[in-house]
Amino acid sequence: MRLLRLGPAGAERPGVLVTDSDYIDVSDRFGDFDGAFFAADRWAELADLVHQRAAAGMSRPIGDTRIGSPIARPHQILCVGLNYAEHAAESGAAVADEPVIFTKAPNSMCGPNDPIVKPLGGDKLDYEVELGVVIGARARYLPDDDAAAAVIAGFVLVNDVSERAFQLERDGQWVKGKSCEHFNPCGPVLVTRDEVGDWSDLELWLTVNNEERQRSSTRHMVFGVLTLVRYLSQFMVLEPGDLLNTGTPSGVALGCPDYGYLQAGDVVELGITGLGTQRSVVVEAKEWMCG
């Protein structure tokens, strides 16, 4: 299934995409695609409802309706740094022996086509196309890859937006450069694990103003999806609905000075095989402000 949430920010309604442009509203039976939904393991009930309503002609066109993140605000957003060897090299860093883990504020999440907000005081705004993994069940001390696969609900397209001046030029942890508002565009859909196919070989790409900046495949990850899920479960309890951003390939502005950092008015587009596309326009925080 392809889950999505539609409507104004903060008032999205859950649905399931049945064609590229039509969906089934399920908000009367499922309050939201949040931690409680994933924990309840109601996948069969959801699939039956969608089948019945599609057969009854109850699909609706998305049209101009805003698409939100396909999952509600998670308990945590966990991220992996330097998980593609070429990106580590362009960043001037060695490939780590263990995954480099950091977090983003959960309220940095936004819809796939919402603006990217350039924060006040920032001047090195960067982009990162990434495969996102949504956790579907509470997990701790996972013993092997099979156990790791069993707790994955599905996969999403993510842009791990970064303010490099905050991240690298200010004392402290990376979280300051990763957590500003609208720094985690997510979606448009969550594609369930059974429909993604070989998630170890998905193509990723990103353009800025129609100029290609990033193109790679998840087969080039240093640490694969199952390794990452299993690894994280050794150090923390993963909760239903948590999001894991698995790292970006080479081509970010940080590693390619000729590209330049993002400026207001730039258009960032990105995609991953089978997970849809995003299109975001960069705006100044003072223009976007600020409810």
Side-chain angles (χ1 to χ4, degrees):
M1 286 183 288
R2 294 179 291 171
L3 279 56
L4 78 168
R5 298 166 68 246
L6 299 130
E12 295 92 344
R13 297 163 63 93
V16 176
L17 201 64
V18 290
T19 71
D20 288 342
S21 58
D22 297 307
Y23 73 101
I24 300 293
D25 187 300
V26 297
S27 59
D28 59 324
R29 292 268 294 274
F30 297 85
D32 208 348
F33 295 142
D34 55 11
F37 165 79
F38 293 110
D41 192 22
R42 297 173 66 190
W43 295 105
E45 180 185 350
L46 178 62
D48 287 345
L49 179 65
V50 171
H51 177 76
Q52 293 168 10
R53 292 185 173 179
M58 296 176 64
S59 62
R60 307 178 181 182
I62 294 173
D64 295 329
T65 306
R66 174 185 173 271
I67 300 174
S69 165
I71 59 173
R73 182 184 298 180
H75 162 257
Q76 59 186 344
I77 301 175
L78 300 165
C79 306
V80 185
L82 308 174
N83 198 30
Y84 290 73
E86 290 183 356
H87 174 53
E90 73 178 0
S91 302
V95 174
D97 293 331
E98 296 188 42
V100 175
I101 304 300
F102 61 94
T103 64
K104 301 188 77 155
N107 67 353
S108 66
M109 180 178 287
C110 64
N113 304 315
D114 289 345
I116 293 171
V117 180
K118 185 178 180 183
L120 297 177
D123 61 1
K124 294 182 178 178
L125 186 65
D126 212 344
Y127 49 82
E128 298 186 11
V129 59
E130 303 196 9
L131 175 67
V133 181
V134 179
I135 302 300
R138 179 170 290 176
R140 56 170 68 82
Y141 303 120
L142 295 169
D144 52 37
D145 284 355
D146 288 343
V151 302
I152 294 173
F155 297 87
V156 293
L157 169 64
V158 169
N159 187 357
D160 176 17
V161 181
S162 307
E163 173 45 62
R164 302 300 189 187
F166 295 175
Q167 178 189 356
L168 302 173
E169 298 173 13
R170 307 282 290 270
D171 290 340
Q173 301 296 315
W174 288 3
V175 64
K176 293 196 303 292
K178 297 285 189 172
S179 294
C180 302
E181 64 177 331
H182 283 215
F183 264 31
N184 203 88
C186 182
V189 291
L190 179 156
V191 181
T192 51
R193 184 181 73 231
D194 59 306
E195 292 196 9
V196 170
D198 184 4
W199 60 72
S200 66
D201 191 13
L202 302 176
E203 185 178 37
L204 311 87
W205 60 268
L206 181 144
T207 66
V208 178
N209 300 327
N210 294 316
E211 176 188 30
E212 185 172 291
R213 298 287 182 87
Q214 294 185 278
R215 185 171 294 274
S216 188
S217 168
T218 57
R219 69 175 178 273
H220 298 306
M221 283 183 182
V222 177
F223 303 102
V225 166
L226 299 182
T227 297
L228 292 172
V229 173
R230 188 179 71 246
Y231 179 86
L232 284 165
S233 77
Q234 310 307 311
F235 302 97
M236 64 190 74
V237 178
L238 303 178
E239 297 285 357
D242 280 356
L243 175 64
L244 167 60
N245 296 343
T246 59
T248 199
S250 60
V252 299
L254 173 68
C256 303
D258 290 344
Y259 286 160
Y261 290 103
L262 295 174
Q263 304 297 326
D266 285 344
V267 178
V268 182
E269 297 178 271
L270 56 150
I272 297 179
T273 306
L275 301 184
T277 62
Q278 298 182 5
R279 184 183 187 276
S280 297
V281 178
V282 180
V283 301
E284 298 279 1
K286 62 186 178 183
E287 299 170 357
W288 173 245
M289 303 280 275
C290 245

